[in-house]
Structure formats: C-alpha cells, structure tokens
Amino acid sequence: MKSADCDILVVPGYTNSGPDHWQSRWQERLSTARRVDQASWDHPEPDAWRDAVIAAVQAASRPVVLVAHSLGVIACVQAAPYLPQGAVAGAFLVALPDIERPDTPAVLRRFAPIPREPLPFTSVLVASRTDPYTAYDRAGAFAADWGAELVDAGESGHLNGESGHGPWPEGLMRFAGFLRTL
C-alpha cells in the first residue's frame, strides 16, 4: 500500500505531539495524514480518547493506517474492538507506556488495564530498550498478545523529541516498509 491509498491517522499521546515531534513532522510530510484530536490533551479521559479514535476511523474514506505514540497507542488498542471490521489496514504503534506500573501518574493510570486481546489488523510495536515508561520485555509481551511484530529500536528512550527523535528518519523508513506489507 502507498500512503496515497490510505488515510493515515496520527494519534499522539499525553499532552499532544509538539511541532518538533516526529508525528507532527510526518503529518506535515504525508499528504493523507491527519491528527486525531482529543478534547483534552492535558487531562485525558479514557472513553473520550477511545471514542475520538473510533470517530476518526469511521469518518475515513479509505483504508486507515494508525500511527500512534505513547498514550495514543493505548487509545488505539482500546478502540480496536469497536472499529468497523476491515476499516483499519494496519497500525504503527510506537513507545507503549506501561500505565499499569505503580509509579504511573494517576491521570494516566485511569487508562488501565491495557487490553491483551489480539488486534484485528496488522500491526507493529516499536519499542526502545531504554524507554523510561516501559520495560522492553513488557513491550514484547504486549506485542505478542496483540499479534504485533515487535521492532527493537535499541537504546532510544521514549522515541520523542526529548530523546532526540524529532524528525526520526529511521522510523519513517520503517513506516514506509510497513506500508508496503499492507
């Protein structure tokens, strides 16, 4: 699949993705990409975030490819059972936060538990071995449960601007390769 053949839905995490974040840069670069907006980026509500993903998928006119980061991954996984069958061609999931950890802020723990059911679409989970929010082995366990391919991003932190992944060209190449498999 080519990016011109699908609706790319960018699903940011907690506090949104700023202008230097790779998601924002990709959204500007990919003509069929649009952001799934949330009512509140700073005070996320699990049902509202899930429902925003569902509504965006339902509004799409072509097959959907989800590009989610951090808490956006959780919103997508929670939305998966409610999405129209066949509407999502694939999901590129990056930096899953382990919101089940005891040290997770209360505002994010409300999204727990993280679903363990297989996803009804092709997916990859890109995980870093040094992500401060998720141990790599936990990310691997979730990927296995979801039927997602686990992509080892090495020692890359949370794969965001703070970890030096503003443009993230390696990620964009990996995303292009993912699209070709759909």
Side-chain angles (χ1 to χ4, degrees), residues 7 9 11 34-38 47-62 64 66 75-76 79-80 82-84 87-88:
D7 285 333
L9 298 181
V11 188
R34 64 184 171 87
R35 186 170 301 246
V36 175
D37 286 317
Q38 298 295 347
D47 291 347
W49 277 45
R50 178 201 64 215
D51 292 348
V53 172
I54 294 167
V57 170
Q58 290 173 335
S61 60
R62 294 175 287 198
V64 168
L66 300 168
C76 289
Y82 305 99
L83 298 174
V88 175

Side-chain angles (χ1 to χ4, degrees), residues 93-127:
L93 310 171
V94 180
L96 165 74
D98 186 354
I99 55 170
E100 296 174 354
R101 289 177 16 176
D103 63 339
T104 300
V107 69
L108 304 180
R109 281 194 58 82
R110 292 181 296 162
F111 281 75
I114 301 170
R116 296 279 193 160
E117 293 78 24
L119 296 175
F121 40 75
T122 303
S123 59
V124 299
L125 175 61
V126 180

Side-chain angles (χ1 to χ4, degrees), residues 106-166:
V107 69
L108 304 180
R109 281 194 58 82
R110 292 181 296 162
F111 281 75
I114 301 170
R116 296 279 193 160
E117 293 78 24
L119 296 175
F121 40 75
T122 303
S123 59
V124 299
L125 175 61
V126 180
S128 164
R129 293 185 174 272
T130 55
D131 191 326
Y133 305 112
T134 302
Y136 185 77
D137 61 337
R138 280 278 285 173
F142 284 108
D145 290 342
W146 298 337
E149 175 189 351
L150 180 64
V151 175
D152 185 344
E155 296 182 1
S156 301
H158 193 53
L159 293 155
N160 57 9
E162 289 78 25
S163 65
H165 293 85

Side-chain angles (χ1 to χ4, degrees), residues 9-18 21 23-24 27 34-45 48-50 52-53 67-73 75 107-108 110-111:
L9 298 181
V10 175
V11 188
Y14 181 52
T15 72
N16 201 352
S17 294
H21 193 285
Q23 280 186 310
S24 298
Q27 183 180 345
R34 64 184 171 87
R35 186 170 301 246
V36 175
D37 286 317
Q38 298 295 347
S40 175
W41 292 107
D42 298 322
H43 303 286
E45 293 294 331
W49 277 45
R50 178 201 64 215
V53 172
V67 178
H69 180 260
S70 198
L71 196 60
V73 173
V107 69
L108 304 180
R110 292 181 296 162
F111 281 75

